Amino acid sequence: MAPDHLSTTFAALADPTRRAILARLVSGERSVTELAAPFEMSLPAVSKHLRVLERAGLIARGREAQWRPCRLEAGPLKEVAEWTERYRALWEQRLDRLDTYLQQLKTKEKTHARKKRRQ
Amino acid sequence: MAPDHLSTTFAALADPTRRAILARLVSGERSVTELAAPFEMSLPAVSKHLRVLERAGLIARGREAQWRPCRLEAGPLKEVAEWTERYRALWEQRLDRLDTYLQQLKTKEKTHARKKRRQ
């Protein structure tokens, strides 16, 4: 069974080098040599990462024979953002609960300090 | 080298069954048997998926010996949302460009239709 589109995207993002490549492409098109420069990695190793990103639709390559620049394609990242969005209420609730708990702790501390001063 | 936290999260999300399990946990805690029910899958196969989700910190298991309910932990999903957020400008720009292009097409169509009527 062919993996679904979102799974292919997540798998492509499950690597720090591939995420670093995407981050570098935010500022514009880059050649493979330019992308390889900051990594201690051979060109074939970088090319392999680029193929994974290309298959996931996260980058596209130019057609110039000499210089096939890579550019970022943000569509799949939008899908990831939309997928996570349905869970937003959960982490916001959690932070709200933590906030309530901290407020309660602070109130207790204040009451405790007041009692101590009276003694 | 141990994979970084975000890579572990993305790898755990790169599977439709695991994402379906997370979606079911939005409404509350579930036992392994309850989680396995909608999938044509053995309990050990579901347990394996749960271990991957647990290692990524996406779920936590209760400590009750008989019934170890699973609950969703939204923290890593918040990290994913924050990571994608930095690319938002890119896909919004792309949609803006598409919108401009569509407006131009509509204007052209109108001009063309007006010219035809005059002929």
Side-chain angles (χ1 to χ4, degrees):
Chain A
M1 203 178 76
D4 63 290
H5 192 62
L6 200 51
S7 296
T8 308
T9 305
F10 278 127
L13 296 176
D15 182 279
T17 306
R18 288 198 288 268
R19 292 197 304 277
I21 289 172
L22 292 181
R24 289 206 68 207
L25 290 174
V26 169
S27 52
E29 292 189 343
R30 291 277 182 280
S31 70
V32 179
T33 321
E34 284 174 308
L35 286 173
F39 306 109
E40 285 179 8
M41 220 178 249
S42 65
L43 277 184
V46 171
S47 294
K48 207 174 157 186
H49 281 308
L50 293 177
R51 275 199 300 277
V52 176
L53 291 170
E54 201 176 1
R55 267 201 299 271
L58 284 158
I59 64 163
R61 312 281 305 265
R63 289 180 184 228
E64 294 81 355
Q66 296 285 324
W67 188 71
R68 295 193 59 209
C70 301
R71 67 164 187 276
L72 187 60
E73 292 284 315
L77 296 175
K78 184 174 184 261
E79 284 166 24
V80 168
E82 283 166 354
W83 181 85
T84 51
E85 214 38 51
R86 70 184 81 170
Y87 297 95
R88 177 177 294 277
L90 290 172
W91 73 71
E92 285 182 348
Q93 263 171 34
R94 215 183 57 165
L95 287 180
D96 283 350
R97 278 205 302 270
L98 191 64
D99 194 48
T100 310
Y101 177 68
L102 287 176
Q103 294 305 324
Q104 284 168 350
L105 274 188
K106 275 188 193 169
T107 314
K108 266 188 198 167
E109 241 172 44
K110 273 186 199 164
T111 319
H112 188 71
R114 229 177 291 149
K115 275 185 188 162
K116 273 208 136 181
R117 266 189 308 236
R118 277 189 215 144
Q119 279 164 3
Chain B
M1 203 178 76
D4 63 290
H5 192 62
L6 199 51
S7 296
T8 309
T9 305
F10 278 127
L13 296 176
D15 182 280
T17 306
R18 289 198 288 269
R19 292 198 305 277
I21 290 172
L22 293 182
R24 289 205 69 205
L25 291 174
V26 169
S27 53
E29 291 188 346
R30 292 274 182 282
S31 71
V32 179
T33 320
E34 284 175 309
L35 286 174
F39 306 109
E40 287 180 8
M41 220 178 248
S42 65
L43 277 184
V46 170
S47 294
K48 206 174 160 188
H49 281 308
L50 293 177
R51 276 199 299 279
V52 176
L53 291 170
E54 201 176 1
R55 266 201 300 271
L58 285 158
I59 64 164
R61 310 283 303 265
R63 285 175 189 234
E64 294 81 356
Q66 296 285 325
W67 187 73
R68 295 192 58 210
C70 301
R71 68 165 186 278
L72 187 59
E73 292 284 316
L77 296 174
K78 183 173 185 262
E79 284 167 23
V80 168
E82 284 167 353
W83 182 85
T84 52
E85 213 37 51
R86 70 185 79 172
Y87 296 95
R88 178 178 293 277
L90 289 172
W91 72 71
E92 285 182 347
Q93 264 172 34
R94 215 184 56 165
L95 288 180
D96 282 350
R97 278 205 302 270
L98 192 63
D99 194 49
T100 311
Y101 176 69
L102 287 175
Q103 293 308 323
Q104 284 169 349
L105 274 188
K106 276 188 192 169
T107 315
K108 265 187 198 168
E109 242 173 43
K110 275 185 197 164
T111 319
H112 187 71
R114 227 176 291 147
K115 273 185 187 164
K116 272 207 139 181
R117 267 191 306 241
R118 275 190 212 144
Q119 278 167 3

